[in-house]
Amino acid sequence: MISVAMAVYNGEKYLEVQLDSIVRQTKQADEIVIVDDCSTDQSMEIIKKFQGKHPNIRVYRNKSTLGYKKNFREVIRLCQGDLIFLSDQDDFWMPEKVHIMSDIMETHPDIQVLASSFEFMDADGKSYSVKLRKGMSNNNLYLKPVQANSLVSVTFDEFCSHNYFQGCSMALSKTAANAYLANWTDRIPHDWLIALLASHENGFYFLNKPLFCYRTHSQNTIGIPKGKKAEEWVRLKFAEDMRDAMTTVRDIWPEEFKKSDVYQKRILFADAHIQALHNRSFWDLIWQNLNPVYHELKSGRARLMDLYFVLFK
């Protein structure tokens, strides 16, 4: 049984396009589960219109606004499928997304979570591309080169430093969904938690084939601050993310964390790096450049920009 899990909040502008792309899949989902997080626009009316034509759509509405992390937990909890596709409200699925990904997971039962690549599209639905940087893939989100159409495993250690894949790119086995629900935390985004848990069991894989269009617009759930705060946000984000990820690892696998010098060094470095950036400490950053965790966290260019930030911003 295949489920689609969609979390909705004030999605009227793009919701119809996304729902239409889901119901037009070459391989149909058995259920499309939608949880509306108390939208104040026409989202519920749009959903009900689709539900009238597609009885496999199940709709729920929260009693109060939960926020996207808790809302995704709720919609995943309500899914009954052995395979669960996560869906944003504003993207567009290519017609064979469900078919291709479900076939791969049937053929490879060791895969707990499968993420696909994507294409960018703007607010008007026009596709655009970004220049692929050397040594990267997945529109520069994954810090490793992967050949087109290849299927590769992504390790737990990689996810301890960075999150590379959006939730909307993922299909989850029931095992992965249950692990996520059992270990839920709002410390990190739902997709990163899912990735950590699956990769810990050697069950996270990436298919470097674009199977959906990821829409970028001013109302994306996770956005970059504007103005003067943007630069500080960019400088701090990677270290804060590493700290939060390692804290999550410590909470879920405490004995494993205690035994690992690597994990402890990461969390100590992240705290020290955040402090150095807050204090605008040039010499602390120079000293930190001797730490291999800094090289793991940021590229050479990013480390130079940290120095520029503390001196001139």
Side-chain angles (χ1 to χ4, degrees):
M1 181 177 181
I2 297 175
S3 300
V4 173
M6 178 186 284
V8 170
Y9 178 70
N10 286 347
E12 65 176 7
K13 191 170 184 179
Y14 308 113
L15 184 54
E16 188 168 358
V17 171
Q18 172 67 324
L19 283 171
D20 190 62
S21 73
I22 293 172
V23 300
R24 291 179 182 271
Q25 289 291 297
T26 57
K27 184 174 185 178
Q28 289 290 303
D30 297 284
E31 63 172 9
I32 301 169
V33 183
I34 302 172
V35 177
D36 179 80
D37 201 22
C38 301
S39 294
T40 57
D41 63 1
Q42 299 298 307
S43 292
M44 283 299 295
E45 285 73 11
I46 294 169
I47 294 167
K48 287 177 180 178
K49 183 179 75 172
F50 271 86
Q51 188 180 33
K53 298 177 182 178
H54 303 279
N56 63 331
I57 295 177
R58 294 194 286 123
V59 186
Y60 302 85
R61 183 174 171 87
N62 295 328
K63 293 180 180 179
S64 59
T65 303
L66 300 180
Y68 83 94
K69 292 177 185 176
K70 290 183 179 179
N71 202 29
F72 265 108
R73 177 184 64 176
E74 185 66 10
V75 69
I76 291 172
R77 183 185 68 82
L78 290 165
C79 287
Q80 299 175 0
D82 304 305
L83 181 60
I84 302 171
F85 284 80
L86 302 187
S87 172
D88 284 351
Q89 64 185 11
D90 48 7
D91 298 331
F92 175 85
W93 287 11
M94 294 168 188
E96 294 190 336
K97 173 181 166 72
V98 171
H99 197 168
I100 290 172
M101 295 182 74
S102 62
D103 280 1
I104 288 173
M105 293 188 75
E106 283 183 21
T107 306
H108 299 83
D110 55 320
I111 299 179
Q112 293 187 15
V113 177
L114 177 63
S116 79
S117 189
F118 64 99
E119 294 179 359
F120 280 114
M121 68 178 177
D122 62 19
D124 298 321
K126 183 179 179 180
S127 296
Y128 68 94
S129 60
V130 296
K131 184 178 180 180
L132 194 62
R133 297 173 187 168
K134 185 178 180 180
M136 297 186 181
S137 56
N138 198 35
N139 292 294
N140 300 320
L141 293 186
Y142 187 35
L143 308 182
K144 277 189 175 180
V146 178
Q147 290 186 348
N149 301 314
S150 293
L151 179 69
V152 297
S153 172
V154 187
T155 67
F156 178 70
D157 197 58
E158 291 176 86
F159 282 118
C160 286
S161 299
H162 297 283
N163 186 23
Y164 306 100
F165 307 100
Q166 319 98 312
C168 54
S169 72
M170 296 178 182
L172 286 63
S173 69
K174 194 65 174 179
T175 298
N178 288 338
Y180 161 75
L181 293 171
N183 293 283
W184 185 85
T185 174
D186 64 355
R187 183 178 290 113
I188 58 176
H190 65 289
D191 44 19
W192 200 349
L193 178 59
I194 289 166
L196 276 173
L197 291 162
S199 62
H200 187 264
E201 305 303 316
N202 300 314
F204 192 103
Y205 282 73
F206 168 53
L207 173 66
N208 193 19
K209 181 180 180 67
L211 294 177
F212 70 103
C213 293
Y214 179 75
R215 192 188 300 270
T216 57
H217 55 89
S218 60
Q219 283 79 46
N220 285 108
T221 301
I222 304 175
I224 298 175
K226 306 297 182 183
K228 293 183 178 179
K229 291 186 177 181
E231 181 68 16
E232 183 175 16
W233 182 89
V234 169
R235 305 265 65 84
L236 288 168
K237 177 171 171 52
F238 290 110
E240 291 174 342
D241 282 352
M242 175 181 274
R243 177 196 60 196
D244 292 344
M246 295 317 304
T247 302
T248 301
V249 169
R250 184 185 64 193
D251 291 347
I252 297 174
W253 301 282
E255 293 303 317
E256 189 173 321
F257 185 89
K258 288 178 185 177
K259 294 176 183 178
S260 172
D261 290 339
V262 174
Y263 298 161
Q264 294 175 40
K265 286 177 180 178
R266 282 174 177 155
I267 200 168
L268 288 171
F269 174 82
D271 285 335
H273 188 55
I274 291 166
Q275 194 66 35
L277 291 171
H278 275 309
N279 294 338
R280 302 294 199 271
S281 178
F282 176 84
W283 292 111
D284 280 348
L285 289 181
I286 291 292
W287 180 253
Q288 286 177 1
N289 264 280
L290 300 176
N291 192 323
V293 178
Y294 200 4
H295 295 248
E296 173 189 327
L297 185 67
K298 295 182 181 181
S299 67
R301 183 178 183 277
R303 297 196 303 275
L304 286 173
M305 291 302 297
D306 282 346
L307 293 173
Y308 177 83
F309 169 73
V310 301
L311 287 175
F312 301 110
K313 291 293 183 178

